[in-house]
Amino acid sequence: MELLVILFAICLQLFLTYKKVSPFLSLLIVAILSGIFLGMEPMQIIKSVEKGVANTLGGLALIICLGAILGKILETGGAAEKIARTLINGFGEKNIQWAIMLTGFFIGIPLYYNAGFVILVPLVFSIAHKAKLPLLYVAIPMAAALSTTHCFLPPHPSPVFLVNAFKADMGKTLIYGLIITIPVVIVAGPFLGRLLKKTEVTIKSFLFTSEAENTKELPAALPSFLIGLLPVILITMAVIANYFLPDQLLKKTLLFIGDPTIALLLSVFLAIGVFGLKRGNSMETITKWLNEAISGIAVILLIITAGGIFKQVLQDSGTDQYIASFSSKWQMPPLIFAWVVTALLRIAIGSATVAGITAASVVTPLVAAGNVSPELMVLAIGTGSVFGSHINDSGFWMFKEFFNLTLKQTFLSWSVMEATISVLGIIGVLLLNLVI
């Protein structure tokens, strides 16, 4: 019976997604109906809803909001563009793929995919035009870096939600994610871009004109890089301190400032001072940036919350134990099981974030059983969430329309890139599982 209810819930989620119902509402409906069909009392369902909201938002609301604010300030204050220009100028035309890949990587850590993509698209067109290079040769490394950081690394919404759901260590997840991300991005970016070098695409976009040059004054390179990467630096320092330093004041201080919330808060304050107040922006203008950042991720927060409610309903109904036993009957390793479930959901639903959140509801008991590293489970779901992007994925259409591609060209570039990231990512997760 539990299996039928789970299948019904997933099918209903797919149907509502197909009907363009908001993922927040559809996940909430699915969670409540699942509780009813699993035999829960009405008041028990309400308590599960409240508990799911508290458990989910309590661990990630501040992290996601502060991450959005930091990204918005870096974008509006010109730091993101400065990072891009510095890397492009430093690497030169010969190594342009590596420059654009690193640009996407550095910008992709603090910025959400859509924001980073829109910032870098004009740069891609400009480089391709000036250097007379094929468009996809330049675009693929950028898109691969942004996509990988979005799905693998905190403080992006899906990894943060998964870390919270599995009670994983944020610092370890970040370090493991970086270890996997670097080789994956190199293969799915510059190497794949070279294979697509002969694909002819007209350099035409409403975001780019060959005569246009951005003349606004940008901030200095050092603070742009330093503040953009500061959360990663502080979190990594905390992990190192936890393992190697004696239990004294320095260790306690590093653990405090390396907490994800504190690290992001410090970075936001520095960004406000350096890219806001120091550049002549009033506090009123900066507050407007903050409000825009929060409003931009409000829907994502609601979707994640609804996913947390679904997970809580499955847990409170006792279905989590059944899922754990069902996985063992398949005799499939938990990490591969999580990847397969997430990949199938991604193909069916289209949204990487919703696929990851839904999969977390299914595989949480495997983590609770203690048979797998929660940090690696976060990454296994992250890798599965980018598999098989096609016409039901907004990212597919964004890539197609911005770069003026045909459907065939989009499948052979974007879809292949996403599948490459996913397959190489799960291979990396399994290799890490052998050595940690």
Side-chain angles (χ1 to χ4, degrees), residues 146-153 156 158-159 162 352 378 382-383 385-386:
L146 288 176
S147 182
T148 308
T149 53
H150 176 75
C151 293
F152 289 8
L153 304 180
H156 290 281
S158 184
L162 295 170
V378 171
T383 59
S385 71
V386 295

Side-chain angles (χ1 to χ4, degrees), residues 27-336:
L27 280 168
L28 202 55
I29 293 167
V30 166
I32 293 171
L33 289 178
S34 296
I36 293 171
F37 283 108
L38 288 168
M40 296 176 70
E41 295 291 330
M43 290 308 297
Q44 189 182 2
I45 294 174
I46 292 174
K47 288 181 180 179
S48 291
V49 170
E50 293 173 349
K51 189 176 179 182
V53 172
N55 289 345
T56 303
L57 287 182
L60 55 78
L62 282 176
I63 295 174
I64 291 178
C65 289
L66 288 170
I69 291 168
L70 178 60
K72 183 67 176 179
I73 296 172
L74 292 174
E75 175 192 349
T76 311
E81 187 175 341
K82 183 62 178 182
I83 291 171
R85 289 192 181 188
T86 301
L87 287 169
I88 298 301
N89 294 334
F91 275 76
E93 185 178 315
K94 183 179 178 181
N95 300 307
I96 205 70
Q97 279 193 309
W98 299 96
I100 198 73
M101 182 194 75
L102 281 174
T103 302
F105 182 78
F106 283 126
I107 289 178
I109 290 176
L111 263 67
Y112 294 120
Y113 178 86
N114 289 356
F117 186 87
V118 172
I119 288 171
L120 291 180
V121 163
L123 182 68
V124 169
F125 276 104
S126 178
I127 291 169
H129 173 78
K130 291 178 181 177
K132 295 181 172 53
L133 291 170
L135 187 59
L136 291 179
Y137 178 80
V138 181
I140 286 293
M142 175 273 290
L146 288 176
S147 182
T148 308
T149 53
H150 176 75
C151 293
F152 289 8
L153 304 180
H156 290 281
S158 184
V160 169
F161 169 81
L162 295 170
V163 166
N164 184 66
F166 300 152
K167 295 180 172 58
D169 183 274
M170 186 78 75
K172 286 184 181 179
T173 304
L174 179 60
I175 291 173
Y176 294 164
L178 287 170
I179 291 171
I180 296 172
T181 295
I182 293 169
V184 168
V185 168
I186 290 172
V187 175
F191 289 175
L192 181 60
R194 290 173 191 172
L195 296 177
L196 298 168
K197 195 171 184 178
K198 294 182 179 179
T199 304
E200 294 184 7
V201 180
T202 304
I203 299 180
K204 179 182 177 183
S205 172
F206 61 89
L207 290 174
F208 168 77
T209 57
S210 58
E211 295 80 16
E213 290 290 342
N214 195 338
T215 57
K216 73 175 182 179
E217 183 183 352
L218 298 176
L222 180 59
S224 298
F225 278 96
L226 185 60
I227 296 175
L229 295 175
L230 188 59
V232 176
I233 295 169
L234 293 177
I235 292 169
T236 303
M237 286 173 61
V239 173
I240 295 171
N242 190 43
Y243 280 97
F244 299 107
L245 291 183
D247 193 15
Q248 295 176 353
L249 181 61
L250 177 60
K251 179 178 179 179
K252 292 177 181 178
T253 302
L254 289 175
L255 289 177
F256 176 73
I257 64 174
D259 175 83
T261 303
I262 302 300
L264 281 164
L265 183 61
L266 291 173
S267 302
V268 165
F269 279 134
L270 273 175
I272 288 173
V274 175
F275 306 127
L277 298 175
K278 191 176 179 181
R279 290 172 59 81
N281 295 290
S282 66
M283 204 63 216
E284 184 180 0
T285 300
I286 295 170
T287 301
K288 183 181 178 182
W289 295 351
L290 269 60
N291 292 338
E292 289 174 354
I294 299 299
S295 63
I297 50 91
V299 173
I300 295 175
L301 268 177
L302 289 174
I303 293 170
I304 287 174
T305 303
I309 292 169
F310 185 27
K311 177 183 75 72
Q312 193 66 48
V313 166
L314 293 180
Q315 186 176 332
D316 291 348
S317 66
T319 308
D320 57 348
Q321 301 302 320
Y322 173 77
I323 294 171
S325 64
F326 181 68
S327 171
S328 63
K329 288 177 185 176
W330 271 25
Q331 296 184 334
M332 185 181 291
L335 294 172
I336 296 178

